[in-house]
Each structure stands twice: as C-alpha cells, then as structure tokens.
Amino acid sequence: MKPYLRFIAPLAIFAVIVGFLYKGLSMDPRALPSVLIDKPVPEFSLEELQSPGEFFTREDLLGEVSLLNVWATWCVSCRVEHPNLVALSRSNQVEIHGLIWKDDPVAARSYLKQLGDPYTSNGLDFDGRTAIDLGVYGAPETFIIDKKGVIRHKIAGPLSPEIIENEILPLVKKLREES
Amino acid sequence: MRTIFFTLFLLFACWSTSSFATLDEYHFDSEEQKSDFREVTEELRCLVCQNQSLAGSDAELAKDLQREVYKMMQQGKTKDDVIEFMVSRYGDFVLYEPPMKPSTYPLWFGPFFILAIGIFLLGRTLVKKKRSKEVELTDADQEKLAKLLSNTAENRDT
C-alpha cells in the first residue's frame, strides 16, 4: 500500500459515512413514498356531508384537475392547514374535494361553518375503508388528481402557503395542459 | 428503589398490552386461522407507530387494518393475498422483511459484500505477515544480528 493511500482510504470511507448520516438527518421518516402515484383513484362511494342522501364518487373527480384532501375534526394539523385551503379555494385556482376520515358529520359541519368551507364535495368515510384503499396513514394528506382521475402527487402533512405556491399550483397548471 | 419498581411496572404494563391483546377481539373458527392471523399481523408494520407491528399497535389505523385483515381471512383469502393487498396500498414499507428485488439487492447483499472485502483484506494482511517472517537472513545479516545482540548484552553488564 502506497503511504498516501493509507491516509486517504480511511478519510474517504469516513466522508462516505458522514455523507449518509448527513442525508439521514434531513430525511423525514414519516414521509413515505406513495405506491399509488400514477395509479387511478380507487372506486369509492361516500355520503356527501352537506347533502345527505347524495354520494361523492370517483366520477366526480373526472374531467378536471382537482385536489383530494383527507381531513377530520379530530386532526390538529388539519386545523393548521385549513385557512390555507380556504384561501386556495377563494382564489378559484383549483377545485378541492374532501374526504372526512372517521368522523362525526355533525362535528364536521359545525367545523366548516365556523372555519369556512373550501370543499366542492365532501365524502364521509365512516369506517376508514376508502382511506385504506388510498393508502392513507395520517391526516391531513392531499392528493393531486389529473383529469382522467389518476393520482399524480401526494403530500402528507399540512399544506403551507409555500407548498401550495411552489408544489401544487405549478403541477396543477402542468396537468391542465395535458389532454 | 421506588423508581426501579415503577420502571418495572411500566415495562410490564407495556408488555401485557402488546401482541395478544388484539386477538381477543376476534373470533376464529380454528386454531389455524388464529395463528395465521397472528402471523400476518406480526409481519406487517403499523404505519403510525413505525416500530410496532400491526398486532402490537393500538393506533386507530392499525385497528382498522387489523379488522380488514380479519375480514379478508374470514372470506378465505390466503396470507399472500392479504400481504399483496397491503403492499398495493402502502408499499413495501408495510413489510418488516423487505422483498428480494433489484432495488433491495444492496440491502440484502451489501453486508455480505462488505464482509467479503473484510475477509480479503484480513487474508492479505495475514499472508503478508507470514511472508515477512519467512525471510531468510544472509550471512551479513547474521553477523549484524550477533553484533547487536552482544552489544545489548554488554550494555546490560555495565
């Protein structure tokens, strides 16, 4: 072994380990890649929150780029993102649909009355079965769905104005241009 | 002392709620079904508390998923069906044991690869050491050695 290699080899190994550890520090173990990206939204039929007797289904997602937001009144982070959803819906840039995950309709209605209702339609997933089909593991989660009803992106965790501005709106614009 | 007892108590409390508590909620027709259910829910990871299995978790979502697993098994679905159902929704992450496929090769074979490098380096070092021991001394070397040894002997005497 050449003498300089004696010093460089351990240094290189050390650098590689530090590199991995540094990357690990900035990774969020809860942000899991969704296997449903580029897959069609699974079939579902959920009772409408605001008009009982009517159903919110997969068909309602077809024809226009939309967001599907999984939320619940028991979810604290949903309250954090709620004003951002309201602002987004007021700006009329994209339709937002809601999936109410294992919640009481009365509580959900009063929540929206109090904080504003950004949703075009809102499905009640009482037993969490549709959430399982969507691979939901926490609330809030937001899916971006294209005109054909295919899931194109998913954001786990509350939407911040930055995420909406930098991640969601550019993608919505791109998806709108698709035929 | 009280702290020790308290810690032990907490440990024990955790234990008793894990794994088997969930089995009582479900009715099984046979022991085989029961053990299948237990096996599957222990192989699947709870997505909320990531270091717990589905069987051991009390999280809402884990309970929903347990119920789904139970329903599927009651319908006569096999273990593989259940696992496929979960993976198609939550990805490989739900499996405690990652599947064998190109993207997981480094995970499965990496340690053996590193072990092989270690064995190679160790072998090389040993061979080198052995070789250096076998070096034969020339007559000149022997003379030098004898001189050195006698020098130290003299030094010790004085």
Side-chain angles (χ1 to χ4, degrees), chain B residues 50-63:
Chain B
Q50 304 187 339
N51 281 335
Q52 270 185 312
S53 70
L54 266 192
S57 176
D58 269 334
E60 265 309 297
L61 178 63
K63 285 183 182 165

Side-chain angles (χ1 to χ4, degrees), chain B residues 80-131:
Chain B
D80 289 344
D81 291 335
V82 173
I83 286 175
E84 203 202 303
F85 171 90
M86 297 294 276
V87 170
S88 70
R89 282 160 182 76
Y90 290 101
D92 290 339
F93 187 79
V94 288
L95 303 173
Y96 259 119
E97 200 165 285
M100 188 81 84
K101 58 183 190 185
S103 67
T104 59
Y105 284 166
L107 198 64
W108 282 99
F109 302 119
F112 296 107
F113 179 69
I114 292 169
L115 183 69
I117 294 180
I119 291 173
F120 170 75
L121 287 178
L122 179 71
R124 216 180 57 166
T125 316
L126 288 179
V127 166
K128 241 188 207 165
K129 246 188 193 160
K130 205 175 171 200
R131 258 197 218 132

Side-chain angles (χ1 to χ4, degrees), chain A residues 60-66 95 145-149 172 176:
Chain A
D60 297 323
L61 298 172
L62 299 178
E64 188 44 71
V65 180
S66 60
E95 266 186 16
I145 295 159
D146 72 10
K147 294 177 190 170
K148 290 175 184 152
V172 166
R176 282 231 170 93

Side-chain angles (χ1 to χ4, degrees), chain A residues 54-158:
Chain A
E54 282 176 33
F55 287 86
F56 169 46
T57 67
R58 184 174 185 275
E59 312 300 311
D60 297 323
L61 298 172
L62 299 178
E64 188 44 71
V65 180
S66 60
L67 304 186
L68 179 63
N69 179 246
V70 180
W71 66 283
T73 58
W74 48 260
C75 146
V76 182
S77 316
C78 300
R79 278 174 200 270
V80 175
E81 77 168 0
H82 199 82
N84 303 327
L85 289 176
V86 172
L88 178 61
S89 96
R90 285 213 180 116
S91 72
N92 275 326
Q93 296 188 83
V94 63
E95 266 186 16
I96 309 170
H97 301 282
L99 185 150
I100 306 167
W101 193 23
K102 305 188 70 168
D103 207 352
D104 169 37
V106 177
R109 273 191 287 268
S110 80
Y111 173 97
L112 292 180
K113 204 169 178 185
Q114 207 181 339
L115 300 169
D117 184 354
Y119 303 103
T120 313
S121 38
N122 235 326
L124 286 157
D125 186 15
F126 287 109
D127 58 0
R129 187 59 184 75
T130 303
I132 291 178
D133 279 342
L134 281 164
V136 169
Y137 60 90
E141 275 186 25
T142 307
F143 295 88
I144 302 180
I145 295 159
D146 72 10
K147 294 177 190 170
K148 290 175 184 152
V150 175
I151 297 170
R152 300 297 288 269
H153 190 51
K154 171 174 138 172
I155 292 155

Side-chain angles (χ1 to χ4, degrees), chain B residues 31-83:
Chain B
E31 273 305 305
E32 199 194 332
Q33 270 186 357
K34 193 172 179 175
S35 73
D36 272 359
F37 178 79
R38 184 183 293 171
E39 221 174 280
V40 171
T41 50
E42 270 171 13
E43 263 172 46
L44 294 168
R45 188 200 295 266
C46 167
L47 291 120
V48 182
C49 13
Q50 304 187 339
N51 281 335
Q52 270 185 312
S53 70
L54 266 192
S57 176
D58 269 334
E60 265 309 297
L61 178 63
K63 285 183 182 165
D64 286 356
L65 291 173
Q66 278 168 21
R67 203 181 52 223
E68 211 48 47
V69 170
Y70 176 73
K71 258 202 251 165
M72 286 183 78
M73 296 194 113
Q74 288 300 92
Q75 286 163 12
K77 301 267 169 66
T78 64
K79 241 182 77 181
D80 289 344
D81 291 335
V82 173
I83 286 175

